[in-house]
Amino acid sequence: MKEFELKYGCNPNQKPAKIYMKDGSELPIQVLNGRPGFINFLDALNSWQLVKELKEATGLPAAASFKHVSPAGAAVGLPLSDIDRRIYFVAPDAELSPIACAYIRARGADRLCSFGDWAALSDVCDAATARYLQAEVSDGVIAPGYTDEALEILKTKKKGGYNVVQIDPDYVPAAQECKDVFGITFEQGHNNFEINEELLGNIVTDCKDLPQQAKIDMIVALITLKYTQSNSVCYVKNGQAIGVGAGQQSRIHCTRLAGDKADNWYMRQHPKVLALQFVDGIRRPDRDNAIDIYTSDEYEDILADGVWQLNFKVKPEVLTAEEKKAWIATQSGVTVGSDAFFPFGDNVERARKSGVQYIAEPGGSIRDDHVIATANKYGITMAFTGMRLFHH
């Protein structure tokens, strides 16, 4: 296949639209089911790069959940805990492969933002992964291959219209890439910068402790940021992005946004949230929305008479601001990555409130001494990578 005609571009008025190779060669993808659109392919190709690099850097299966050309979540395929299974709606006895665990964790980072996502898998999609995808609201998936059983499961989704794309895992893009904006062509070298553990050697804080899991988390954060619309900041724990702040003009707003998402992820594990008794047959998106509102400052909207009965069998107790603050204060072992330097120590101040103990950022601010001093104040380990990761 040398070109693929699209229904339209970013918007319905942008026609005609297609994807093709400028040199006239075959596309490195096959559409096995459905008819992906312009934004679908932007998500697919960006997310594939992320999971491919994450697998190469860690040796672990990797997955991502993309929306509007930024990851809502990304993760490597570590096993799910009992709590993970409960908050991600996985049966206690369900048999899960490493790649299924990777996608479940990637989607679990921010389930509201992952509604209608594009999924990316570093490994062949198996039946366990397909069954989980089948139950979620998702637009499509890209992977290097699919088992026969997985493909048949996915073909039943969205009344047979679910987008399934297979990519050649050996495909290497051209060294130079072009982009047209307002009729003007921009050209630059493809970002082939390799992110690995060697990038983490310049620890600039008094605390030098950097365990292996924190190194993996730094790599997850940095590779996620490499494919997140800038400015961007990413919080990671146990190989899973738990908060991504993308496309903000101010870095502190990125740090706050991603930190708030990390707090929301952790709030799903609060005993009161785990004890919620949902009505029978509630849809997953409705359950996600109910949890999100219940843990927010707008909890009265979901607990009002005549409303709570639509979601819960028993009216939940209020989760107070004091309880939420106390719970978030128990969070620890979190890593933060930033795609460019922290210009002020306020980013570190905000990050530590969400349990951050490790930071990876390029360094290079004229106030690096203040940023380092702030990290030292809280015993945080911070590595300067020396490499900016802007993505637009």
Side-chain angles (χ1 to χ4, degrees):
M1 180 173 64
K2 292 190 175 181
E3 68 175 49
F4 186 85
E5 184 178 352
L6 306 173
K7 190 174 181 180
Y8 50 77
C10 281
N11 298 289
N13 63 297
Q14 293 177 274
K15 302 176 183 178
K18 63 182 178 180
I19 60 170
Y20 61 97
M21 304 296 287
K22 279 193 170 183
D23 63 4
S25 61
E26 295 283 325
L27 285 163
I29 54 102
Q30 297 180 61
V31 178
L32 304 183
N33 198 66
R35 187 184 178 187
F38 191 97
I39 296 174
N40 290 149
F41 275 117
L42 290 177
D43 282 340
L45 297 176
N46 277 282
S47 61
W48 165 249
Q49 292 176 82
L50 191 162
V51 299
K52 183 175 187 291
E53 290 186 31
L54 197 49
K55 170 72 178 286
E56 291 171 349
T58 64
L60 297 167
S65 173
F66 256 60
K67 281 288 293 290
H68 295 291
V69 204
S70 279
V76 292
L78 300 177
L80 270 61
S81 67
D82 291 341
I83 294 293
D84 289 337
R85 286 176 177 258
R86 292 181 67 182
I87 65 176
Y88 303 147
F89 312 134
V90 180
D93 58 348
E95 294 187 11
L96 301 174
S97 61
I99 191 62
C101 289
Y103 177 68
I104 293 167
R105 300 173 84 234
R107 177 143 187 145
D110 187 342
R111 288 187 56 84
L112 262 68
C113 285
S114 285
F115 181 86
D117 72 339
W118 187 278
L121 311 173
S122 67
D123 292 18
V124 170
C125 179
D126 59 10
T129 311
R131 278 192 289 269
Y132 192 80
L133 270 167
Q134 186 182 37
E136 299 287 3
V137 178
S138 173
D139 274 0
V141 58
I142 187 169
Y146 301 82
T147 66
D148 291 342
E149 185 179 5
L151 187 56
E152 289 307 308
I153 292 170
L154 295 174
K155 283 183 175 181
T156 66
K157 189 172 174 62
K158 296 186 76 170
K159 299 180 179 180
Y162 187 64
N163 296 311
V164 180
V165 176
Q166 181 169 315
I167 188 164
D168 178 1
D170 298 322
Y171 167 69
V172 177
Q176 293 296 113
E177 59 188 19
C178 298
K179 178 179 181 179
D180 289 350
V181 178
F182 199 50
I184 297 171
T185 299
F186 291 63
E187 183 174 337
Q188 65 176 355
H190 184 76
N191 190 356
N192 290 317
F193 182 73
E194 183 178 347
I195 295 170
N196 53 39
E197 286 190 17
E198 294 180 7
L199 196 64
L200 312 177
N202 182 23
I203 298 177
V204 296
T205 46
D206 294 339
C207 184
K208 308 293 183 184
D209 180 44
L210 191 61
Q212 185 60 33
Q213 184 58 61
K215 292 180 181 179
I216 292 175
D217 290 351
M218 284 186 173
I219 289 171
V220 171
L222 294 172
I223 293 178
T224 298
L225 292 167
K226 188 179 176 185
Y227 296 101
T228 302
Q229 297 298 299
S230 299
N231 288 327
S232 56
V233 168
C234 180
Y235 289 60
V236 176
K237 186 172 183 179
N238 294 334
Q240 173 186 2
I242 59 173
V244 180
Q248 303 301 302
Q249 291 78 13
S250 165
R251 188 151 304 277
I252 185 60
H253 287 155
C254 291
T255 305
R256 290 171 184 164
L257 174 60
D260 289 347
K261 290 185 176 186
D263 292 346
N264 289 341
W265 171 82
Y266 192 53
M267 284 306 306
R268 292 176 66 93
Q269 303 173 50
H270 191 282
K272 280 191 173 180
V273 177
L274 294 177
L276 292 172
Q277 299 181 49
F278 292 97
V279 296
D280 295 335
I282 188 171
R283 296 172 63 250
R284 289 192 182 195
D286 294 331
R287 183 162 43 179
D288 287 330
N289 287 333
I291 292 172
D292 185 69
I293 298 171
Y294 173 68
T295 58
S296 76
D297 293 338
E298 283 75 46
Y299 62 88
E300 292 176 343
D301 293 349
I302 200 75
L303 298 184
D305 287 339
V307 177
W308 70 261
Q309 294 93 335
L310 301 175
N311 297 281
F312 307 108
K313 293 179 179 178
V314 177
K315 185 176 182 179
E317 294 182 7
V318 172
L319 185 55
T320 68
E322 292 76 16
E323 288 175 309
K324 288 189 283 188
K325 185 176 181 179
W327 179 253
I328 291 170
T330 66
Q331 174 73 295
S332 63
V334 178
T335 292
V336 153
S338 177
D339 67 352
F341 61 70
F342 282 155
F344 302 102
D346 56 356
N347 290 276
V348 179
E349 293 278 4
R350 173 60 189 90
R352 68 99 186 172
K353 292 177 182 177
S354 296
V356 169
Q357 292 178 250
Y358 311 99
I359 295 175
E361 57 124 320
S365 167
I366 61 173
R367 300 177 185 83
D368 273 348
D369 56 346
H370 180 237
V371 175
I372 293 169
T374 307
N376 285 336
K377 181 168 67 172
Y378 298 110
I380 291 172
T381 302
M382 183 161 61
F384 278 1
T385 66
M387 178 54 66
R388 195 177 76 179
L389 297 169
F390 277 177
H391 180 64
H392 292 286

